Amino acid sequence: MRVELDEPKCVASGQCVMASPEVFDQRDEDGVAVLLEETPGAELLDGVREAVAICPAAAIRLVEG
Amino acid sequence: MTNRGTGMTSTANPADERTARIPEFPMARAAKCPFDPPPALRDEQREGPLRKVRLWDGSTPWLVTRYSEQRALLGDARVSSEVTRPGFPNQAPVKSGSTGLSFITMDDPEHSRQRRMVTAPFAIKRVDALRPAVQKIVDDLIDTMLAGPNPVDLVEAFALPVPSLVICELLGVPYADHDFFQSNSRVLITRDVDPEERWGAMKRLTDYLDELLGEKIAHPADDLLSGLVPRIETGELTRNGAAQMGVLLLLAGHETTANMIALGTLALLEHPDQLALLRETDDPKLVASAVEELLRYLNITHGGRRRLALEDIEISGETIRAGEGIIVPNEIGNRDPEVFADPDRLDLRRDARRHVAFGFGVHQCLGQPLARMELQVVYSTLYRRIPTLRLATGLEKIPFKHDGSVYGVYELPVAW
Ligand code: HEM
Ligand code: SF4
């Protein structure tokens, strides 16, 4: 599974970092999300799914492949 | 056409019937259940996800009662937060010529352009670095409280100073001015205030922030307001725009968290088994989960997020027309039984992270990492350091902020 981040949509809420700190971080200059892991292992997927669900800006997607 | 069997009369026009039954909004809470949403709001939720209500000015915006429709609409780019648009479902009369309050009342792209100027200090890691300083503020205030009169008003002695000290430090606002900015903030967040008076309070606060910006231009420091100075110099932000942003951050930064501390403490005192969980744990996970559950349960920003439809929006079998108002009360979305089992039970162990207490969509609370951290420090410290903390009066004597756009208690007399 691959994580996609739609950066322009991100409102820097930090929700994804809270839900899945192994996969998401925030840029220093403006708090916009950055991906640490594009293809996270199975053990991290629950956290990523939570991030997808709570991202207020619908900026994160989890896709096949 | 469906007919629910009552009125077979030929004159019954469903549209008229609906108009006649439109309830007033906001609705009153039941006196005996100060933590629960108004019973009439629950009735509307049971009736359907999209209802109509009547506001102070006679207008009849949509009321969005269920969690999934609430998130869908707040996350929809076709809704506006610009309070000066004709037909916007405002909380109270607005003085003509007055504007909104910085980017919270703007739409994208301008909203996000301005918001991104101040997102960096609220990033999770930056906020976490402030935790020791916040812990010290909390410990010092508790020391002072324990050395002072018993009983005491927890709002005055603790709940208001914690977030005020923190936001002052972060923005670079002198805490010594707290009486001034707290009393003016209070005018802005009270519902039934004369528009002139509200405008006056807004003007005093904006002038105050403008003066502070002048000082930061002369003597830049390491704080958020000083960080706006280069933006003013490059023309990215007007000086007035920067002052308004300062007012928004100062206001949102202390009134909200203060009410979470005081109302949260009252709710915990009324649920001793839950209070005991917090008092006896040193598991940061349980503390974090308690903060999310109290946010879900308390809904201090009650009375609804307010929006205006910019285009026709089809949702759940209804059409919200362009130009119609939309009201989204998180106090009912967070009690949606489809999403939160046994929603009226305060259960600090439940996973409440999906709540909408910070709103949803592009305006979702900018200060949420800071609010969470402050509340984690407070809830994990106050009841452990004062294990005998109790209410010094009866629940029925506590003055609740029914008239505020931020819910909470005016006073909380406690003893130990
Ligand atoms: C527990 C405390 C808090 C609660 C419950 C809360 C709640 C909210 C809610 C519901 C919104 C959405 C408004 C809307 O959609 O129209 C919001 C926005 C906002 N909050 Fe908070 N807030 C809290 C603490 C804070 C703190 C500590 C700050 C710090 C400065 C802050 C700053 C803001 C700002 C600037 C916005 C506007 C965001 C935007 O329009 O993009 N809040 N808050
Ligand atoms: S949760 Fe969404 S909006 Fe928030 S920081 Fe992550 S990607 Fe950005």
Side-chain angles (χ1 to χ4, degrees), chain B residues 1-13 17:
Chain B
M1 201 183 129
T2 59
N3 191 318
R4 290 207 174 135
T6 42
M8 289 296 285
T9 52
S10 55
T11 51
N13 174 341
E17 226 175 79

Side-chain angles (χ1 to χ4, degrees), chain A residues 11, chain B residues 74 81 103-106 111 115 118 122 163 167 170-171 245 248-258 260 295 299-301 305-307 330 356-368 370-372 374-375:
Chain A
V11 296
Chain B
L74 289 177
S81 284
F103 56 84
I104 197 169
T105 54
M106 292 175 189
H111 157 264
R115 175 171 163 134
V118 288
F122 295 99
I167 197 69
L170 199 139
L171 294 181
M245 206 183 263
L248 169 60
L249 294 171
L250 183 59
L251 178 75
H254 75 273
E255 275 297 344
T256 47
T257 312
M260 275 302 296
L295 284 162
N299 295 298
I300 53 145
T301 49
R305 313 274 64 76
R306 310 282 172 120
R307 298 293 190 266
N330 47 261
V356 282
F358 288 123
F360 200 71
V362 295
H363 289 279
Q364 194 185 55
C365 185
L366 167 73
Q368 54 182 308
L370 181 65
R372 286 193 164 105
E374 291 182 55
L375 294 173

Side-chain angles (χ1 to χ4, degrees), chain B residues 311-327:
Chain B
E311 293 171 32
D312 290 0
I313 301 173
E314 307 272 347
I315 181 164
S316 302
E318 298 277 5
T319 304
I320 300 178
R321 298 276 171 211
E324 288 182 332
I326 305 171
I327 297 184

Side-chain angles (χ1 to χ4, degrees), chain A residues 23-62:
Chain A
V23 176
F24 300 93
D25 197 358
Q26 286 169 288
R27 293 203 297 236
D28 289 343
E29 65 270 28
D30 58 9
V32 166
V34 287
L35 275 181
L36 300 174
E37 289 271 0
E38 230 169 276
T39 49
E43 72 288 359
L44 297 177
L45 289 183
D46 276 352
V48 176
R49 286 200 184 92
E50 184 64 20
V52 172
I54 62 179
C55 172
I60 310 169
R61 289 202 316 156
L62 192 56

Side-chain angles (χ1 to χ4, degrees), chain B residues 12-169:
Chain B
N13 174 341
D16 288 351
E17 226 175 79
R18 203 193 232 181
T19 318
R21 285 188 288 104
I22 293 180
E24 306 256 332
F25 189 88
M27 293 141 174
R29 289 175 196 255
K32 286 212 173 102
C33 310
F35 305 116
D36 289 339
L41 200 47
R42 287 177 198 274
D43 294 344
E44 295 303 318
Q45 186 182 55
R46 266 191 295 271
E47 290 289 326
L50 288 148
R51 309 289 298 163
K52 285 273 181 135
V53 284
R54 193 181 306 283
L55 296 190
W56 58 276
D57 60 356
S59 65
T60 53
W62 292 93
L63 174 80
V64 189
T65 64
R66 294 185 191 163
Y67 177 89
S68 98
E69 283 81 1
Q70 290 198 342
R71 295 214 322 175
L73 282 165
L74 289 177
D76 196 311
R78 294 169 295 178
V79 303
S80 172
S81 284
E82 291 179 5
V83 293
T84 50
R85 283 182 189 266
F88 194 92
N90 278 300
Q91 299 234 6
V94 180
K95 186 178 142 69
S96 71
S98 60
T99 57
L101 184 53
S102 188
F103 56 84
I104 197 169
T105 54
M106 292 175 189
D107 294 342
D108 279 355
E110 185 58 13
H111 157 264
S112 82
R113 192 184 74 85
Q114 293 206 13
R115 175 171 163 134
R116 278 196 185 188
M117 292 183 195
V118 288
T119 38
F122 295 99
I124 303 276
K125 280 184 184 158
R126 289 276 296 273
V127 164
D128 247 353
L130 299 177
R131 198 180 280 265
V134 172
Q135 183 70 54
K136 175 148 184 2
I137 286 173
V138 166
D139 280 325
D140 289 352
L141 283 166
I142 295 175
D143 288 341
T144 309
M145 217 170 95
L146 289 172
N150 178 3
V152 72
D153 172 18
L154 191 79
V155 174
E156 204 57 44
F158 184 75
L160 204 46
V162 172
S164 296
L165 281 159
V166 173
I167 197 69
C168 280
E169 183 65 30

